[in-house]
Amino acid sequence: MDLATVAKEIKPADLLQMYYYVRLTRTLEDRITALYRQGRIMGGVYTSNGMEAISVGYASALERDDVIAPYHRDMGAFLLRGITPGEVFAQYLGKKTGPTRGKDGNVHLGDLKRGIIGFVSHLADNLPVATGAALAFKLRDESRVVVTNTGDGGTSRGDFHEALNFASVRKLPVVFFCNNNQYAYSTPLRYQMAIRDVVERAKAYAMPGEIVDGNDVAAVYLAAKRAIARARAGEGPTFIEAKTMRMHGHSEHDAAKYVPRELLEEWKKKDPILKAEQILTQLGYADEAKFREVQERAKKEVEAGLAFAEQSPLPEGPETLEGVFAEERDL
Amino acid sequence: MPTDVIMPQLGESIAEGTIVKWLIPQGGHVEKDQPLLEVETDKVSLEVPSPSTGYLNEVLVTEGQTVPVGTLLARLESDAAPRGVVTRVGGVVIRHMEPAPGEEDHYSPAVRQLAREHDVDLAQVAGTGAGGRVTKKDVLDFVAKRSGMQTRAAPAAPVTVSAEEALPLTPMRRTIAERMVASRRTSAHVTTFFEADFSGPAKVRDAHGLTYLPFAIKAVTRALRDLPIVNSSWTDQGIVIKKDIHIGIAVALEDGLLVPVVRHADRKGLQQLAKEVADLAERARTKRLSPEEVQGGTFTVTNHGVMGSLFSTPIISQPQIAILGLGAVQKRAVVIHDAIGIRPMAYLSLSFDHRVIDGATADQFMSKVKGYLEQTNWETDL
Amino acid sequence: MPTATAGKEVTYLEAISQALDEEMTRDERVFLMGEDIGTYGGAFKITEGFLDKYGEWRVLDTPLAESGFVGAGIGAAMMGMRPVVEMQFADFISCAFDQITEVAGTAYYRFRSQVPLVIRAPYGGGVHGGPFHSECPEGWFFHSPGLKIVVPATAYDAKGLLKAAIRDPNPVIYFEHKFLYRRIKEVLPVEDYTVPLGVAAVRREGTDISVITYGAMVYVALEAAEQLAKEGIDLEVVDLRSLIPLDKQTVFASVRKTSKAIVLHEDNKTGGVGAEIAALLAEECFDSLDGPIVRIAAPDTPIPFSAPLEEFYIPKTSDVVAAARKLAAY
């Protein structure tokens, strides 16, 4: 992303805010990983380490009434939508005060009031749901947009194709992101697809698509902004492939020995936090002191959240039986 | 694991065979290699030995039928078939329905339960069921015959059975039980609760020695005039709105309840209502009501508050569509014009049939009842 | 398009049409998605005329992608719409199994998102449809938490239950029996009415044996009852109407009265809805039973096509008569 474009298109305060959220996401997920390694978090932990710029980038381009249908490497988007670190820890620790009150774990967060459609573990299931939300906006003539995301792995599933196809046919106001981090668990791209870039799939659905540097939060933000504007203007869906690298294993228990070390070394140099700091420095929007201040602030926010979650109660056994069906509201 | 018995190839170029005879009866036992059936082709007639030891439970091709080589003829199973198997009901086997030999005196749960309830010695009951077992009907017939021989007596004294006491059901109890359950199954019961300030009625009540019930009845009749849909019945042909207002009053008895009806309650003043209610209640308790007096109600009021109850979810008296519960009138601290005052308050519980009216109508009705209770100049209604 | 006219007989199929039409008029959030429902009017012509009346944005012809458009229905429902999604045949619902059971069934439980979605599924055999146009898949979803299921047998219920399903804030799978489409007729009320979910209907009162059933089998049971009445065997026939929620009270009350039960359904026997009902009866009505609980259902095979095979497969009147005779004599 060239500096001139960034300077022209993004206000300093906004870029700083994106930087903050990239840092906050990293700090939060690092803490979660640490807790997991200490045996204090149970179950699976899936982070977006090294990929934070994608969720922060697109979520920063949303309006308040827009909706996201994320997947499990979108922590930055959750935070930008108003989920607090406290709620995230509560969710991971299975506490009553988490958004699912202990009913689901790790990053399976959802809250329609904050425009987040909770997802299931079956990757790409969220894509048809996203098209449905977009359809609702179109039917009601609302200028709201849905942004959805999945990994390179998710693009192999039938639901991915059914969703892109439907969104395209009906010109729905939805933006499809793909976090191409080059590995679906242990499966590298070459065993997943015969095409070279995932974006080639968009062409099959007559959908405009582009590739963006997934580690450059400014680039992701601008691409998302363009696509969201298109959708809002009634021009239909866009596919954005964000190229990045999965720096940790598929989940935190996975040592990922199948990933060549050189690949990780190469991408470490392109860490989204580093990249953001470089741009901010070069544009004169911030300096080392500021970066340290941001780091401290993020750390404080995360620790406060953890304290909240640790003090929160666990749900009681019989709560298992509650909330299977919604009650009649209007007849 | 069942063994298949298939039509063998009895020679080269032989494509089919006819079953002449099954040498083992259905369900019978056969040893491996023992002759199982006789098969005939146009060239030859042979006995076919059994492929394994077992029970010939399933015979699929009967004597006289001709089938191609390889056709499944029967299945041998290692266990004997359940007795009395109904030959396949369509595609599925229905379990045996005869007691096993030696178990004819095995009593079903229903039979044992009835015997307990009616204090019957099952050894004395003749069995007419499958295999001679005692059926539920046998027990009931036995009881009917036995009670027919007894003189009419007062309800039987409770029978003590170890740590329990069984109270026989009186006709009133049975009727109440049937009606209550049937009403719940018929109407879509919803209850809405309102609170009313009884200061107005309290003044007049004290002065004239009345209870709160006539005031409630009067307010109800007025609200029914305003919203006649609440004074109706559901039928499959439509909702029938009753033009006359007859209010049923629930009266608690020693061992049950009755609901005598105050006819044309809307035409009567408070004192007359009070007199009639008292009279009907007295005669209900002393069993001097005529059948007409407990029929024809179009709406019911139940004064459950007399024993202190605050809220209720009363059951509608079919074929009406609503019932109002009047809770206990209690002095409560309430907010009046942003200050605290003490007022006699009571909760009104309306159970209504949601098939006929919706919450909005029910609440409208209740608003009117509350309004009439609170704002009527009761002196003029005496 | 059939409109409600006082006194006119309406078929089960027309009743479904009327329900959709009336709900779409009454509530602008209601819209339809499915294959061939627009221009073609639906494989069974239930939505004939709807495209002209409501336009292509309330009657959407979808691509051949059940998972995709059921998922879209879920998303639209989450945003406050009231989609009614049609499976052309219930047999194709398996393509959307994931979206239905995992996404729709768990959304409210996990993050309190209401999914007021209705999935209409024409099911059942007797039409020479073969294995993939005759299935009764209700068993799969009966077992999945978070889903409601209705199975109307009469035209009145077909209309009332569909309206109630559309107004319910939960995902409801509406199984409409294709064999009954044009064979069942009755006069329906002109004004708006619903049939509540979770309430069974006693179609025939009796004293000797309770037949607990639903769907097209209700008529098989009633026919058997007619025949058996002549032999002095009095069947009570309970039409469940809803599978989830299940009206246990009516079922238990019936069996406690008769003390003998036959559970009858068209779906395969093993692990079908009947297995659950039989278990419930054994658990809750044990002391009232005067005979074994009998299940009559299709055998555990795919549905065969050839006429004699299909006839063998689907439970029929003579099956119920034979079983009832045995049970009555026990």
Side-chain angles (χ1 to χ4, degrees), chain C residues 41-123:
Chain C
F44 298 100
K45 301 301 177 196
I46 285 175
T47 51
E48 181 126 76
F50 277 65
L51 181 60
D52 286 338
K53 182 170 177 182
Y54 294 105
E56 62 161 349
W57 284 104
R58 286 186 78 192
V59 182
L60 282 84
D61 274 328
T62 59
L64 206 162
E66 279 77 8
S67 190
F69 65 76
V70 167
I74 294 169
M78 284 180 176
M79 293 298 121
M81 302 298 285
R82 299 247 158 184
V84 181
V85 162
E86 177 180 306
M87 298 287 109
Q88 193 159 85
F89 284 84
D91 312 55
F92 308 143
I93 205 171
S94 47
C95 296
F97 188 83
D98 184 20
Q99 289 283 348
I100 296 170
T101 56
E102 310 287 358
V103 184
T106 68
Y108 189 74
Y109 186 74
R110 295 182 303 126
F111 61 103
R112 293 224 171 100
S113 164
Q114 294 193 358
V115 182
L117 168 70
V118 174
I119 299 172
R120 285 182 40 237
Y123 78 126

Side-chain angles (χ1 to χ4, degrees), chain C residues 119-166:
Chain C
I119 299 172
R120 285 182 40 237
Y123 78 126
V127 296
H128 311 296
F132 309 110
H133 289 73
S134 321
E135 278 171 22
C136 295
E138 64 273 17
W140 299 329
F141 305 101
F142 184 66
H143 183 66
S144 300
L147 304 170
K148 294 193 177 179
I149 303 174
V150 296
V151 285
T154 66
Y156 182 89
D157 290 345
K159 186 172 183 184
L161 277 173
L162 183 50
K163 282 170 167 267
I166 289 171

